[in-house]
Amino acid sequence: RRAAGLLLDDPRRREMGRRARAWATQRFGAERLVADITGIYGSIAEERGWWPIRQKEGAR
């Protein structure tokens, strides 16, 4: 019943699609991927002494 109603409600369907796209981009987009990989490699480099250890925010 609700699915059929959604099929008939073009503005609502478009809004749901817009929100889903924004959520997926934020969660799985290139910017997020780069930040995650940078964090992983940075923590490995710090752990192995390849880079100086960064001070954590608020620990200054």
Side-chain angles (χ1 to χ4, degrees):
R1 197 177 257 188
R2 290 181 186 213
L6 185 58
L7 288 172
L8 299 172
D9 191 344
D10 191 52
R12 184 171 176 219
R13 199 172 58 246
R14 288 181 188 274
E15 177 62 16
M16 288 176 72
R18 185 193 66 74
R19 287 180 183 206
R21 191 176 305 109
W23 177 84
T25 299
Q26 179 183 10
R27 181 113 196 239
F28 303 107
E31 216 173 274
R32 167 80 186 268
L33 176 64
V34 169
D36 288 351
I37 291 173
T38 299
I40 290 169
Y41 280 101
S43 66
I44 292 169
E46 288 175 358
E47 184 179 293
R48 295 187 180 193
W50 299 338
W51 291 349
I53 296 176
R54 297 173 286 186
Q55 287 185 345
K56 303 291 182 201
E57 287 185 34
R60 294 176 189 186

